[in-house]
Amino acid sequence: MKKLAFILILAITIVSCSSVKKTQEAINYGNYDEAIDIAIKNLRTHKTKKSNQSYVLMLEEAFAKATIRDKEKITFLKNDGNPANLESIYNGYILLNNRQERIKPLLPLPILNKGKNAKFQFENYTNDILTTKDKLSNYLYTNAKKALTNSESKNDFRNTYEDLKYLNTINPEYKNTLALLEEAHYKGTNFVFVYMQNKTNQVIPMRLEDDLLNFDTYNLNDFWTVYHNNKQSKQLYDFELELNLREINISPEQIREKVIVQEKQVKDGWKYLIDKNGNGVKDSLGNTIKVDKFKTLKSKVTKFTQFKSVQVVGQVKYFNLKTNQLIQAFPLASEFVFEHNYATYSGDKDAIDKNNLDFLRYKHIPFPSNEQMVYDSGEDLKNKIKSIISNNRFM
């Protein structure tokens, strides 16, 4: 028991030493907030513990050095005079404030061997935060309005949206930020008109065309891309996506036939076991030995396979409507197979194995029409189209 306690104490000591070393290394490398995190974690439950005195001293040192570094950075950014630095200045004040707010609950932190408490130079950053936030809000708002008025770039509108979203985070509902957010989102969105071209010289079932053009079922709309299959008169479209069907190849209706002969031996009563001389063979008790009699059952199974297939071949084409150019075309091919198995038999049904026995439950059924075959290829076509679009977004 004493040995176990010693091992446990040793393990705790090793872990503690490792943590102290890691904290000091963080300070030495200028990773002050990492050092502060480790120190706070250790002091939160045992701040007056003698073995934790190292963390008190290192927290004091790391906090002082981090504060000096961050305030010098803020001063430099202010002196630079570039309003683009306002976000960094604002975040700098937030960091300074949050850091000292994390330490306040631990105070006082005694330095036992000196009989005094660790010193932390706290400041009130409220006015700095509010003043900078106001300047930053005005800067972001003004730039956003300018970009929404003057720019024609989708990327600019998307960047503006992110700036406005950030503005609404730090300063909710500042002026008409929400309305500008909607405008930036709309202007940054690519609108894609989707349509079908049938060049197969065959009639495409209307319900298949509706299914293929119903992009709501593709789950492809994202935050910056919207697909329409019905042109909206007041909407300016950025891209067109053409589903171009070129060939529909339908095979003849086929019935393939296969004959399977099956045999099976089954018990058919019993008989006495006799030797080569025709005499009954007896057991040790003098009784004539009985053995099973077998008979062979035979059956002929005729298995039929109904087969019909359709292949749809085409292309998916992307057009840039601003340049009126074809961006790229991707081959599209889909196949659907109708296959139905059934069987008949003659002879003894008990001779048929389970696999073939199952086919006897089915009968010949009518072949699907050509129109139905083309329609049934639709699900695979949709998957192929979705894969092409998902893997090749030009917008």
Side-chain angles (χ1 to χ4, degrees):
M1 189 68 183
K2 289 182 179 180
K3 184 176 181 182
L4 180 61
F6 173 76
I7 293 173
L8 183 60
I9 293 171
L10 181 62
I12 293 172
T13 302
I14 291 172
V15 171
S16 178
C17 290
S18 174
S19 180
V20 168
K21 183 179 179 182
K22 186 175 180 182
T23 309
Q24 188 59 61
E25 284 181 351
I27 294 174
N28 295 342
Y29 282 100
N31 300 323
Y32 304 128
D33 283 305
E34 181 186 348
I36 290 170
D37 289 342
I38 300 171
I40 289 176
K41 182 179 178 181
N42 283 276
L43 292 170
R44 192 170 282 137
T45 52
H46 301 290
K47 68 176 187 177
T48 58
K49 196 174 180 181
K50 188 175 181 180
S51 59
N52 279 342
Q53 281 293 285
S54 297
Y55 293 115
V56 175
L57 298 174
M58 287 188 289
L59 179 61
E60 185 181 45
E61 179 185 0
F63 175 78
K65 290 182 175 180
T67 301
I68 292 171
R69 179 196 61 192
D70 293 345
K71 291 177 74 173
E72 286 179 348
K73 180 180 178 181
I74 289 173
T75 299
F76 172 80
L77 293 173
K78 281 183 173 181
N79 291 337
D80 185 50
N82 187 343
N85 294 331
L86 284 169
E87 183 177 345
S88 295
I89 295 170
Y90 173 74
N91 289 332
Y93 281 127
I94 293 293
L95 178 61
L96 285 165
N97 185 70
N98 289 346
R99 184 185 293 130
Q100 61 187 31
E101 289 302 316
R102 293 180 63 209
I103 295 174
K104 282 180 181 179
L106 296 174
L107 301 182
L109 286 172
I111 302 174
L112 299 177
N113 64 353
K114 293 186 179 180
K116 63 177 184 177
N117 295 326
K119 289 185 179 180
F120 297 93
Q121 190 66 43
F122 291 156
E123 294 185 36
N124 187 343
Y125 295 106
T126 302
N127 289 336
D128 294 312
I129 291 173
L130 292 176
T131 301
T132 309
K133 182 174 74 170
D134 188 58
K135 291 180 180 179
L136 175 59
S137 298
N138 183 65
Y139 171 73
L140 292 171
Y141 179 83
T142 303
N143 277 5
K145 289 195 70 173
K146 188 183 299 182
L148 291 173
T149 303
N150 300 330
S151 180
E152 295 183 358
S153 165
K154 295 283 183 182
N155 285 333
D156 284 350
F157 295 135
R158 294 178 186 184
N159 290 333
T160 299
Y161 179 89
E162 293 302 321
D163 286 345
L164 288 167
K165 188 167 74 169
Y166 174 67
L167 169 57
N168 197 53
T169 300
I170 64 170
N171 205 345
E173 299 187 31
Y174 179 81
K175 296 184 179 180
N176 63 329
T177 298
L178 296 179
L180 295 183
L181 265 170
E182 290 185 14
E183 183 181 350
H185 180 226
Y186 178 80
K187 289 185 174 181
T189 298
N190 281 313
F191 290 90
V192 187
F193 176 59
V194 185
Y195 64 97
M196 179 182 289
Q197 285 275 34
N198 180 11
K199 297 185 178 181
T200 65
N201 296 321
Q202 297 188 48
V203 177
I204 300 292
M206 184 59 68
R207 55 186 179 148
L208 173 60
E209 183 171 345
D210 291 342
D211 275 358
L212 292 180
L213 294 178
N214 183 9
F215 267 57
D216 289 340
T217 63
Y218 287 77
N219 294 319
L220 286 170
N221 285 346
D222 59 34
F223 193 73
W224 295 113
T225 310
V226 175
Y227 297 87
H228 289 164
N229 57 11
N230 291 311
K231 253 185 182 175
Q232 298 180 10
S233 57
K234 295 182 180 180
Q235 179 63 58
L236 292 176
Y237 289 91
D238 304 284
F239 299 91
E240 278 186 348
L241 197 156
E242 178 185 300
L243 307 181
N244 190 321
L245 302 187
R246 294 171 173 264
E247 296 178 31
I248 297 178
N249 304 312
I250 301 175
S251 73
E253 297 175 357
Q254 304 171 49
I255 299 180
R256 301 164 183 169
E257 186 176 324
K258 181 180 180 182
V259 176
I260 304 167
V261 177
Q262 295 196 301
E263 295 184 358
K264 185 178 182 181
Q265 285 196 326
V266 296
K267 286 184 181 181
D268 186 29
W270 60 271
K271 63 181 179 179
Y272 288 113
L273 181 63
I274 58 175
D275 60 20
K276 61 182 179 180
N277 297 319
N279 299 317
V281 179
K282 300 180 182 296
D283 59 20
S284 59
L285 298 176
N287 299 316
T288 306
I289 297 173
K290 295 177 181 179
V291 293
D292 293 329
K293 287 173 59 179
F294 290 90
K295 66 177 181 180
T296 301
L297 305 181
K298 292 185 178 181
S299 179
K300 183 173 75 172
V301 177
T302 305
K303 183 179 175 182
F304 300 92
T305 300
Q306 293 177 254
F307 180 86
K308 186 177 181 179
S309 67
V310 59
Q311 183 188 45
V312 181
V313 179
Q315 285 182 313
V316 175
K317 294 182 176 181
Y318 284 90
F319 294 93
N320 186 326
L321 295 181
K322 291 184 178 180
T323 62
N324 290 318
Q325 289 183 330
L326 171 67
I327 300 175
Q328 198 162 350
F330 298 90
L332 177 66
S334 174
E335 185 175 28
F336 177 78
V337 174
F338 165 79
E339 188 173 297
H340 174 69
N341 295 296
Y342 66 97
T344 61
Y345 79 99
S346 59
D348 199 319
K349 190 175 182 180
D350 290 336
I352 303 172
D353 63 26
K354 185 182 183 306
N355 289 336
N356 288 313
L357 202 59
D358 288 341
F359 290 121
L360 297 179
R361 296 187 295 134
Y362 303 105
K363 304 296 181 183
H364 178 279
I365 62 174
F367 281 93
S369 65
N370 289 355
E371 180 180 342
Q372 183 64 43
M373 290 290 292
V374 174
Y375 178 74
D376 288 339
S377 70
E379 196 59 36
D380 185 52
L381 268 175
K382 287 179 70 172
N383 289 333
K384 297 287 179 61
I385 293 167
K386 182 176 181 179
S387 177
I388 290 172
I389 296 173
S390 298
N391 296 324
N392 300 279
R393 292 182 181 267
F394 295 98
M395 289 74 81

